[in-house]
Amino acid sequence: MNFKQLETFVWVATLGSFRKAAKKLYTSQPAVSSRIVALEQSLGTELFSRHAGKFELTSKGVELLPYAQKMLVMADRFKERACETNSLSGMLRLGVSETIVHTWLSDFLQHVHHSFPNVDIELTVDVTANMRNELVSRSLDLAFLMGPISEFSIQNVDLCSFELAWVCSPEIELPEGVVPLQTILEKPVITYARNTRPFAEVQAVSKQEDIEVSRLFPSTSLAACKRMALDGLGIGMLPLALINEEVDQKRLRKISSTWEPSDLVFTASYPREPFNPLAEKMATLAADVAHDYCG
């Protein structure tokens, strides 16, 4: 029994595929199969049952998997402690919500470049629902998203929260003071994409209050939402941090309403197993950067 065999066992069990494990470990599928067979022979027990071209963990495989995972975690922590922080290296597949892109992502990347010069980041900007799926399938190593993710296999680290505000062009006629929600929803509403929490909140409150929504303009691009609000195409439900300058310049008006959307809460989320010291370290760094930005 050796480390490569244990690592292969964990990845095959985690990804549910010899092919995906081979891709993750940068080796061939026959090599993965050979390692599993060798491990089973050394242990004297079957870890996977194979039938009709399919496979699944045996009861003994299920029993031994947590031990193998812990051994990999301890090996990674051993290597991490043996190395200086600035020697940390590798590729990190990072998913980021666009809200973070427009606020403190640049600060985070500068800290990474300064503190971990040997770390390369492959960046994907996407909505939370897609990033959650990619974390679970291990297509991403780490994501900054609207969290936390309620999935036992995902570790969540608190980052920051942003106030979500109603805003519109001064050209749109609305009463002064607190504006009833119904009056706001009589106008086109510009907000996050359909498969996001803010969009779902607007739909839920309109049904609860029995208010008919004039029109919803969902978009995966916050930059596009901001532009449409500035152009007077509707009332935007946007992060205040994104449009503070426009509000100060009176190019956008912040609206007080009888119903306010919930703050956007973000986490740095990453798979617990197999242990990835790079993802853990970057999540901790992101929490520090976010705290400095949000105060």
Side-chain angles (χ1 to χ4, degrees):
M1 181 176 67
N2 59 44
F3 182 82
K4 279 191 176 296
Q5 292 168 357
L6 285 175
E7 182 183 41
T8 302
F9 167 51
V10 169
W11 276 113
V12 170
T14 300
L15 298 176
S17 166
F18 278 69
R19 178 183 58 82
K20 290 181 180 179
K23 184 178 179 180
K24 175 67 182 179
L25 297 170
Y26 301 100
T27 188
S28 65
Q29 190 167 331
V32 167
S33 299
S34 177
R35 291 175 191 175
I36 295 298
V37 170
L39 180 59
E40 289 177 327
Q41 290 176 346
S42 68
L43 295 174
T45 186
E46 284 192 346
L47 300 172
F48 296 97
S49 60
R50 304 159 178 85
H51 51 84
K54 298 181 179 180
F55 74 94
E56 59 183 11
L57 282 168
T58 61
S59 58
K60 181 57 70 172
V62 171
E63 178 186 344
L64 293 178
L65 180 59
Y67 293 96
Q69 291 171 331
K70 289 178 182 177
M71 291 173 73
L72 294 189
V73 169
M74 294 307 298
D76 283 326
R77 292 197 183 278
F78 177 81
K79 288 188 289 185
E80 183 183 6
R81 295 295 182 267
C83 299
E84 294 296 326
T85 299
N86 60 11
S87 70
L88 196 66
S89 63
M91 171 68 74
L92 181 79
R93 298 169 300 172
L94 174 64
V96 183
S97 169
E98 194 185 357
T99 307
I100 304 300
V101 172
H102 289 292
T103 50
W104 51 263
L105 179 64
S106 293
D107 291 343
F108 168 76
L109 294 177
Q110 288 175 3
H111 276 77
V112 172
H113 179 71
H114 180 263
S115 302
F116 305 97
N118 297 319
V119 171
D120 294 317
I121 292 182
E122 181 180 284
L123 191 65
T124 299
V125 180
D126 209 339
V127 296
T128 289
N130 293 341
M131 289 190 285
R132 177 204 175 279
N133 294 335
E134 291 180 355
L135 284 173
V136 172
S137 68
R138 300 333 193 252
S139 298
L140 286 177
D141 301 310
L142 174 67
F144 305 154
L145 41 68
M146 281 186 257
I149 294 179
S150 300
E151 171 70 37
F152 76 95
S153 64
I154 302 298
Q155 178 71 38
N156 299 291
V157 177
D158 292 337
L159 290 178
C160 58
S161 62
F162 292 103
E163 178 184 350
L164 204 58
W166 293 112
V167 294
C168 70
S169 166
E171 296 178 1
I172 293 181
E173 293 186 4
L174 287 173
E176 296 298 325
V178 178
V179 180
L181 177 63
Q182 183 168 350
T183 302
I184 289 177
L185 297 185
E186 287 173 355
K187 309 286 187 182
V189 172
I190 304 163
T191 189
Y192 283 73
R194 292 183 182 278
N195 54 345
T196 62
R197 190 176 304 159
F199 183 89
E201 270 198 355
V202 172
Q203 285 196 316
V205 73
S206 65
K207 290 179 181 178
Q208 181 181 341
E209 300 293 331
D210 194 24
I211 300 173
E212 185 176 350
V213 181
S214 168
R215 194 169 187 180
L216 283 175
F217 283 126
S219 175
T220 57
S221 170
L222 283 181
C225 289
K226 179 178 175 179
R227 185 69 262 168
M228 286 190 288
L230 285 166
D231 290 342
L233 297 179
I235 297 178
M237 191 171 74
L238 299 170
L240 193 56
L242 181 66
I243 41 84
N244 264 324
E245 183 176 343
E246 288 75 13
V247 171
D248 291 341
Q249 295 172 353
K250 301 189 184 305
R251 296 169 62 202
L252 285 174
R253 170 190 169 188
K254 184 176 182 291
I255 307 164
S256 296
S257 175
T258 52
W259 178 85
E260 301 289 348
S262 303
D263 289 352
L264 300 179
V265 178
F266 287 88
T267 60
S269 302
Y270 58 93
R272 296 177 186 272
E273 304 291 352
F275 173 64
N276 185 339
L278 189 54
E280 182 183 68
K281 187 71 72 175
M282 293 301 106
T284 301
L285 176 60
D288 292 339
V289 174
H291 179 76
D292 290 343
Y293 181 90
C294 298

